[in-house]
């Protein structure tokens, strides 16, 4: 098993590719139509984070799945590490946070910057999102 952060710059293009080449990887409704919004299935992952057409997900993949996603057009494996239980997510995220180019790609999808948010009482509070957008249990 491999834990990885998958990055897709153009999710609609990925959906079109999968619909043509691997339709079993897209969730469908009872009529066989793609669910809206489209949802990629077939492997364990966190909820995706999106910014425009770009998307990222933290995934746990079997070796064959990892090979498939590495070779899927438009999919980039930002970082990966063999799943070894607790600490695996640290290894994956460390790869991203220690490489300025990977971190720039990561930050282009997942906004970690502090921002004002309504507090529900007419004021605002400063909210800083966590550095990591998702981890699968056991990692």
């Amino acid at each position: 098993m491999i834990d990885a952060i998958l990055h897709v710059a153009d999710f609609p293009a990925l959906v079109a590719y999968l619909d043509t080449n691997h339709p079993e990887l897209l969730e469908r409704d009872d009529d066989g139509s793609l669910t809206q919004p489209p949802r990629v299935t077939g492997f364990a992952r966190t909820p995706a984070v999106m910014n425009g057409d770009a998307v990222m997900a933290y995934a746990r993949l079997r070796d064959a799945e990892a090979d498939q996603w590495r070779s899927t057009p438009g999919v980039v494996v930002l970082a990966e590490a063999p799943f070894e239980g607790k600490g695996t997510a640290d290894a994956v995220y460390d790869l991203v946070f220690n490489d300025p180019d990977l971190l720039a790609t990561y930050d282009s999808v997942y906004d970690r910057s502090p921002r004002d948010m309504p507090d529900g009482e007419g004021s605002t509070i400063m909210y800083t999102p966590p550095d990591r957008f998702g981890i699968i249990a056991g990692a």
Side-chain angles (χ1 to χ4, degrees):
M1 300 290 275
I2 294 169
D3 274 21
I5 296 174
L6 304 177
H7 174 266
V8 177
D10 186 346
F11 186 64
L14 175 64
V15 170
Y17 171 82
L18 293 176
D19 196 30
T20 299
N21 297 284
H22 299 283
E24 73 281 1
L25 294 178
L26 294 170
E27 185 175 89
R28 298 185 181 274
D29 63 21
D30 292 337
D31 298 326
S33 300
L34 288 177
T35 58
Q36 293 302 318
R39 185 168 186 268
V40 178
T41 63
F43 59 94
R45 64 174 177 82
T46 63
V49 293
M50 295 187 80
N51 185 4
D53 286 343
V55 64
M56 281 190 313
Y58 186 103
R60 178 154 308 138
L61 307 165
R62 293 178 184 88
D63 290 340
E65 292 168 333
D67 290 341
Q68 178 183 11
W69 288 107
R70 284 185 202 110
S71 64
T72 299
V75 176
V76 173
V77 178
L78 277 189
E80 65 179 86
F83 176 69
E84 296 178 351
K86 189 173 172 80
T88 302
D90 293 334
V92 173
Y93 278 100
D94 285 350
L95 290 168
V96 172
F97 294 139
N98 290 320
D99 182 309
D101 293 331
L102 295 178
L103 186 57
T105 300
Y106 182 88
D107 285 340
S108 73
V109 179
Y110 179 64
D111 183 5
R112 301 178 299 135
S113 61
R115 53 187 156 273
D116 287 330
M117 297 190 65
D119 68 358
E121 297 178 11
S123 294
T124 60
I125 58 170
M126 181 62 68
Y127 169 72
T128 302
D131 284 341
R132 301 171 178 190
F133 68 85
I135 298 174
I136 295 177

